[in-house]
Amino acid sequence: TGKAFTAHQIHLRGPRSKGPFVSIHASSLPSGGEESLLFGYERGAFSGASERHICFLEQATGGTLLIDEIVQLNPTLQVRLLRALQEERIHRLGATRAVRLDFRFIAGTERDLQAASRDGSFHPELYRMLSRSIVNLPALRARQPDIEPLAKRFMARFSARTGARITGFTSEALQALEEHSWSRNVRDLQDLVDRVAVRASGSRIEKDDVVRELAAMAGYAEAKEQ
């Protein structure tokens, strides 16, 4: 739905805009290494720690930190993150001194965090802290007028990156895009545009091009679920 884009725009329009914008996705953190990446460690803190590691929270100092799909953090990390935000400081693993934190914190999620806090999968105190300010982003299927400009933007990016000479979409192709449900929202639309652009035989994307790639993407999704 554009969570990372929206978070970046909030960053750019705030007093911390000249600071760093650090964006991470909770599911991309390697299993077993999440704590080190989020909170850092000192040289010699454990076997293989040959030098100090500056964590994501420190890297965001003076700017903004976005953790997307925050509900995927394990309970231990949720508690430690809550404490760090409350105290505005962390201790790197193996450190004797605390490190001061100073950043805007934004969390993204596809799930209902209030419901997750009730069923025990998300820390209720962390939810209460985050719920002070909420921005709801409607699904792409509920924002039909956005589909055409987004598709054209993605096509322009593809053409600039590859040198493709595709001038746009036929009205029938755009209609097919607007009638699709887009279960993965903007990510699905961008994937579709790249796929049709790679395989397009003419200077404009036709309806048949769109329908063919939508069917291929649906087949791929079904195969993943099996």
Side-chain angles (χ1 to χ4, degrees):
T1 58
K3 297 190 299 297
F5 177 83
T6 301
H8 195 208
Q9 294 305 306
I10 291 172
H11 168 73
L12 293 176
R13 287 162 171 73
R16 299 171 180 270
S17 60
K18 293 184 179 180
F21 177 76
V22 179
S23 175
I24 60 176
H25 197 291
S27 68
S28 69
L29 297 173
S31 179
E34 308 100 314
E35 186 171 10
S36 296
L37 290 172
L38 284 174
F39 302 103
Y41 54 83
E42 293 290 336
R43 178 180 179 181
F46 53 85
S47 178
S50 58
E51 58 184 25
R52 172 184 291 172
H53 175 70
I54 304 301
C55 66
F56 288 129
L57 276 71
E58 289 183 75
Q59 291 174 31
T61 295
T64 300
L65 172 66
L66 165 68
I67 299 183
D68 203 358
E69 294 311 320
I70 191 172
V71 74
Q72 296 187 34
L73 291 180
N74 69 52
T76 300
L77 291 182
Q78 290 179 25
V79 171
R80 190 165 180 191
L81 176 62
L82 172 63
R83 184 175 179 181
L85 295 173
Q86 289 174 331
E87 299 180 354
E88 298 182 352
R89 67 187 66 227
I90 58 168
H91 276 87
R92 300 190 197 104
L93 184 64
T96 57
R97 285 186 171 184
V99 176
R100 179 86 174 165
L101 300 176
D102 178 17
F103 53 77
R104 180 202 302 274
F105 182 66
I106 301 176
T109 179
E110 292 181 2
R111 290 184 56 189
D112 182 339
L113 285 188
Q114 185 174 32
S117 70
R118 289 172 178 167
D119 67 24
S121 58
F122 195 72
H123 198 290
E125 288 297 325
L126 184 54
Y127 166 69
R128 275 191 279 273
M129 175 179 282
L130 294 174
S131 63
R132 294 170 185 169
S133 179
I134 298 175
V135 178
N136 290 309
L137 301 178
L140 184 58
R141 60 181 173 274
R143 294 152 43 200
Q144 191 182 63
D146 289 348
I147 293 175
E148 180 177 346
L150 281 171
K152 290 180 176 178
R153 180 187 181 102
F154 294 145
M155 183 59 71
R157 284 183 182 176
F158 179 88
S159 297
R161 188 171 69 246
T162 65
R165 297 181 180 180
I166 301 175
T167 59
F169 301 82
T170 65
S171 58
E172 293 81 8
L174 288 172
Q175 183 177 355
L177 293 176
E178 291 171 352
E179 291 175 351
H180 188 62
S181 60
W182 303 113
S183 60
R184 292 172 65 241
N185 295 293
V186 177
R187 189 179 296 110
D188 252 1
L189 177 59
Q190 184 167 7
D191 287 348
L192 185 283
V193 170
D194 285 351
R195 291 172 67 100
V196 296
V198 166
R199 295 167 175 79
S201 57
S203 60
R204 291 211 299 170
I205 302 301
E206 304 285 343
K207 178 180 179 179
D208 288 346
D209 299 324
V210 172
V211 172
R212 180 182 64 249
E213 296 306 331
L214 285 174
M217 289 172 67
Y220 174 71
E222 289 175 3
K224 285 185 65 178
E225 292 172 0
Q226 293 177 357

